[in-house]
Amino acid sequence: MISVIYPQLDVASTITSEFLNERTILSARNDDVSAINQSALEIFHGETFTYFAANKMVEDEDVDPGITHRYPNEFLNTLNPPGLPSFKLDLKVGAPIMLLRNIAPKDGLCNGTRLIVVNCGDFVIEAKILTGDKHGNLVFIP
């Protein structure tokens, strides 16, 4: 399916704003989306950059300390509840991404905004907006 909707995804010169704006794959299930995203990312050339979430149980004086020790970070990192981002995010330069939260609406960073990854830093992603009024603007996503 990916090769039909996104032909020549492995050729860097074909990945343009127009190419990406003309094509979309829709899916109703998060599991399917994750599998499609992983398969598409494997087609792209280049280095994979991996980002991790900071999941941690907050210790509270009113809560039994035994509860917080029952759920180690390793266990929390395996959870993938609906509505929350995954613990691990893999990206490559040139990959299209979509925001799932409003980050900075005035700057065009709203839920559903499509972008293309320009650079992957240690703690920030540089991307170019592909849709909306801010089309073409470079932005930084923490």
mmCIF file of all heavy atoms in Angstrom, residues 13-33:
data_model
loop_
_atom_site.group_PDB
_atom_site.id
_atom_site.type_symbol
_atom_site.label_atom_id
_atom_site.label_comp_id
_atom_site.label_asym_id
_atom_site.label_seq_id
_atom_site.Cartn_x
_atom_site.Cartn_y
_atom_site.Cartn_z
ATOM 1 N N SER A 13 14.869 13.116 -4.063
ATOM 2 C CA SER A 13 14.415 14.237 -4.894
ATOM 3 C C SER A 13 12.900 14.237 -5.123
ATOM 4 O O SER A 13 12.343 15.258 -5.508
ATOM 5 C CB SER A 13 15.143 14.224 -6.237
ATOM 6 O OG SER A 13 14.854 13.020 -6.940
ATOM 7 N N THR A 14 12.223 13.121 -4.859
ATOM 8 C CA THR A 14 10.764 13.084 -5.046
ATOM 9 C C THR A 14 10.006 13.567 -3.819
ATOM 10 O O THR A 14 8.816 13.846 -3.909
ATOM 11 C CB THR A 14 10.271 11.660 -5.387
ATOM 12 O OG1 THR A 14 10.561 10.794 -4.288
ATOM 13 C CG2 THR A 14 10.907 11.139 -6.650
ATOM 14 N N ILE A 15 10.674 13.668 -2.688
ATOM 15 C CA ILE A 15 10.004 14.057 -1.446
ATOM 16 C C ILE A 15 9.950 15.583 -1.378
ATOM 17 O O ILE A 15 10.813 16.234 -0.813
ATOM 18 C CB ILE A 15 10.727 13.482 -0.207
ATOM 19 C CG1 ILE A 15 10.970 11.993 -0.363
ATOM 20 C CG2 ILE A 15 9.929 13.772 1.058
ATOM 21 C CD1 ILE A 15 9.729 11.168 -0.592
ATOM 22 N N THR A 16 8.898 16.138 -1.963
ATOM 23 C CA THR A 16 8.692 17.586 -1.957
ATOM 24 C C THR A 16 7.398 17.901 -1.210
ATOM 25 O O THR A 16 6.587 17.008 -0.948
ATOM 26 C CB THR A 16 8.591 18.134 -3.390
ATOM 27 O OG1 THR A 16 7.423 17.560 -4.016
ATOM 28 C CG2 THR A 16 9.839 17.803 -4.205
ATOM 29 N N SER A 17 7.191 19.165 -0.907
ATOM 30 C CA SER A 17 5.961 19.579 -0.226
ATOM 31 C C SER A 17 4.734 19.188 -1.043
ATOM 32 O O SER A 17 3.745 18.696 -0.505
ATOM 33 C CB SER A 17 5.965 21.098 -0.016
ATOM 34 O OG SER A 17 7.034 21.481 0.789
ATOM 35 N N GLU A 18 4.774 19.418 -2.342
ATOM 36 C CA GLU A 18 3.639 19.101 -3.213
ATOM 37 C C GLU A 18 3.369 17.597 -3.224
ATOM 38 O O GLU A 18 2.221 17.165 -3.144
ATOM 39 C CB GLU A 18 3.899 19.594 -4.641
ATOM 40 C CG GLU A 18 3.983 21.097 -4.768
ATOM 41 C CD GLU A 18 5.329 21.678 -4.311
ATOM 42 O OE1 GLU A 18 6.351 20.950 -4.306
ATOM 43 O OE2 GLU A 18 5.335 22.854 -3.905
ATOM 44 N N PHE A 19 4.437 16.803 -3.328
ATOM 45 C CA PHE A 19 4.315 15.346 -3.339
ATOM 46 C C PHE A 19 3.623 14.864 -2.071
ATOM 47 O O PHE A 19 2.688 14.052 -2.114
ATOM 48 C CB PHE A 19 5.710 14.721 -3.468
ATOM 49 C CG PHE A 19 5.737 13.220 -3.404
ATOM 50 C CD1 PHE A 19 5.470 12.454 -4.520
ATOM 51 C CD2 PHE A 19 6.060 12.570 -2.217
ATOM 52 C CE1 PHE A 19 5.507 11.066 -4.464
ATOM 53 C CE2 PHE A 19 6.103 11.189 -2.155
ATOM 54 C CZ PHE A 19 5.829 10.433 -3.284
ATOM 55 N N LEU A 20 4.049 15.380 -0.916
ATOM 56 C CA LEU A 20 3.474 14.939 0.355
ATOM 57 C C LEU A 20 2.068 15.476 0.576
ATOM 58 O O LEU A 20 1.230 14.801 1.177
ATOM 59 C CB LEU A 20 4.395 15.352 1.503
ATOM 60 C CG LEU A 20 5.763 14.662 1.518
ATOM 61 C CD1 LEU A 20 6.654 15.274 2.583
ATOM 62 C CD2 LEU A 20 5.616 13.173 1.719
ATOM 63 N N ASN A 21 1.770 16.692 0.125
ATOM 64 C CA ASN A 21 0.432 17.261 0.318
ATOM 65 C C ASN A 21 -0.634 16.584 -0.532
ATOM 66 O O ASN A 21 -1.815 16.635 -0.205
ATOM 67 C CB ASN A 21 0.438 18.766 0.025
ATOM 68 C CG ASN A 21 0.968 19.563 1.187
ATOM 69 O OD1 ASN A 21 0.876 19.149 2.329
ATOM 70 N ND2 ASN A 21 1.539 20.706 0.885
ATOM 71 N N GLU A 22 -0.241 15.943 -1.610
ATOM 72 C CA GLU A 22 -1.187 15.273 -2.500
ATOM 73 C C GLU A 22 -1.551 13.869 -2.031
ATOM 74 O O GLU A 22 -2.443 13.250 -2.589
ATOM 75 C CB GLU A 22 -0.599 15.176 -3.908
ATOM 76 C CG GLU A 22 -0.414 16.507 -4.590
ATOM 77 C CD GLU A 22 0.361 16.383 -5.890
ATOM 78 O OE1 GLU A 22 0.882 15.279 -6.190
ATOM 79 O OE2 GLU A 22 0.466 17.389 -6.609
ATOM 80 N N ARG A 23 -0.887 13.376 -1.013
ATOM 81 C CA ARG A 23 -1.060 11.986 -0.606
ATOM 82 C C ARG A 23 -1.263 11.864 0.903
ATOM 83 O O ARG A 23 -0.634 12.560 1.676
ATOM 84 C CB ARG A 23 0.186 11.184 -0.994
ATOM 85 C CG ARG A 23 0.390 11.098 -2.477
ATOM 86 C CD ARG A 23 1.828 10.703 -2.803
ATOM 87 N NE ARG A 23 1.997 10.432 -4.207
ATOM 88 C CZ ARG A 23 2.157 11.379 -5.132
ATOM 89 N NH1 ARG A 23 2.172 12.644 -4.785
ATOM 90 N NH2 ARG A 23 2.298 11.046 -6.393
ATOM 91 N N THR A 24 -2.138 10.912 1.281
ATOM 92 C CA THR A 24 -2.385 10.635 2.694
ATOM 93 C C THR A 24 -2.836 9.187 2.851
ATOM 94 O O THR A 24 -3.569 8.672 2.020
ATOM 95 C CB THR A 24 -3.484 11.566 3.255
ATOM 96 O OG1 THR A 24 -3.042 12.906 3.162
ATOM 97 C CG2 THR A 24 -3.792 11.258 4.698
ATOM 98 N N ILE A 25 -2.415 8.569 3.919
ATOM 99 C CA ILE A 25 -2.927 7.244 4.289
ATOM 100 C C ILE A 25 -3.702 7.428 5.584
ATOM 101 O O ILE A 25 -3.163 7.925 6.569
ATOM 102 C CB ILE A 25 -1.780 6.230 4.501
ATOM 103 C CG1 ILE A 25 -1.003 6.036 3.198
ATOM 104 C CG2 ILE A 25 -2.338 4.898 5.007
ATOM 105 C CD1 ILE A 25 0.228 5.153 3.349
ATOM 106 N N LEU A 26 -4.967 7.035 5.576
ATOM 107 C CA LEU A 26 -5.813 7.143 6.760
ATOM 108 C C LEU A 26 -6.037 5.763 7.371
ATOM 109 O O LEU A 26 -6.186 4.784 6.652
ATOM 110 C CB LEU A 26 -7.165 7.763 6.407
ATOM 111 C CG LEU A 26 -7.142 9.183 5.852
ATOM 112 C CD1 LEU A 26 -8.536 9.614 5.450
ATOM 113 C CD2 LEU A 26 -6.554 10.136 6.868
ATOM 114 N N SER A 27 -6.074 5.714 8.678
ATOM 115 C CA SER A 27 -6.319 4.459 9.378
ATOM 116 C C SER A 27 -7.075 4.751 10.664
ATOM 117 O O SER A 27 -6.876 5.796 11.294
ATOM 118 C CB SER A 27 -5.004 3.759 9.698
ATOM 119 O OG SER A 27 -5.259 2.567 10.395
ATOM 120 N N ALA A 28 -7.926 3.828 11.059
ATOM 121 C CA ALA A 28 -8.748 4.027 12.252
ATOM 122 C C ALA A 28 -8.095 3.496 13.527
ATOM 123 O O ALA A 28 -8.500 3.872 14.622
ATOM 124 C CB ALA A 28 -10.101 3.352 12.061
ATOM 125 N N ARG A 29 -7.103 2.645 13.397
ATOM 126 C CA ARG A 29 -6.508 2.015 14.578
ATOM 127 C C ARG A 29 -5.068 2.450 14.774
ATOM 128 O O ARG A 29 -4.276 2.479 13.832
ATOM 129 C CB ARG A 29 -6.561 0.495 14.433
ATOM 130 C CG ARG A 29 -7.987 -0.030 14.344
ATOM 131 C CD ARG A 29 -8.034 -1.508 14.422
ATOM 132 N NE ARG A 29 -7.184 -1.956 15.519
ATOM 133 C CZ ARG A 29 -6.652 -3.157 15.587
ATOM 134 N NH1 ARG A 29 -6.882 -4.023 14.656
ATOM 135 N NH2 ARG A 29 -5.893 -3.497 16.600
ATOM 136 N N ASN A 30 -4.711 2.762 16.007
ATOM 137 C CA ASN A 30 -3.348 3.182 16.328
ATOM 138 C C ASN A 30 -2.317 2.109 16.004
ATOM 139 O O ASN A 30 -1.201 2.419 15.588
ATOM 140 C CB ASN A 30 -3.239 3.580 17.800
ATOM 141 C CG ASN A 30 -3.935 4.881 18.093
ATOM 142 O OD1 ASN A 30 -4.216 5.667 17.193
ATOM 143 N ND2 ASN A 30 -4.214 5.125 19.360
ATOM 144 N N ASP A 31 -2.666 0.837 16.212
ATOM 145 C CA ASP A 31 -1.736 -0.246 15.893
ATOM 146 C C ASP A 31 -1.394 -0.248 14.409
ATOM 147 O O ASP A 31 -0.241 -0.439 14.030
ATOM 148 C CB ASP A 31 -2.328 -1.600 16.279
ATOM 149 C CG ASP A 31 -2.448 -1.779 17.779
ATOM 150 O OD1 ASP A 31 -1.793 -1.017 18.525
ATOM 151 O OD2 ASP A 31 -3.200 -2.669 18.208
ATOM 152 N N ASP A 32 -2.418 -0.034 13.567
ATOM 153 C CA ASP A 32 -2.193 0.010 12.120
ATOM 154 C C ASP A 32 -1.339 1.213 11.741
ATOM 155 O O ASP A 32 -0.438 1.111 10.909
ATOM 156 C CB ASP A 32 -3.522 0.073 11.366
ATOM 157 C CG ASP A 32 -4.355 -1.187 11.545
ATOM 158 O OD1 ASP A 32 -3.771 -2.251 11.845
ATOM 159 O OD2 ASP A 32 -5.584 -1.105 11.401
ATOM 160 N N VAL A 33 -1.608 2.352 12.354
ATOM 161 C CA VAL A 33 -0.830 3.564 12.082
ATOM 162 C C VAL A 33 0.631 3.338 12.446
ATOM 163 O O VAL A 33 1.533 3.696 11.677
ATOM 164 C CB VAL A 33 -1.408 4.780 12.847
ATOM 165 C CG1 VAL A 33 -0.485 5.979 12.744
ATOM 166 C CG2 VAL A 33 -2.787 5.128 12.334
#
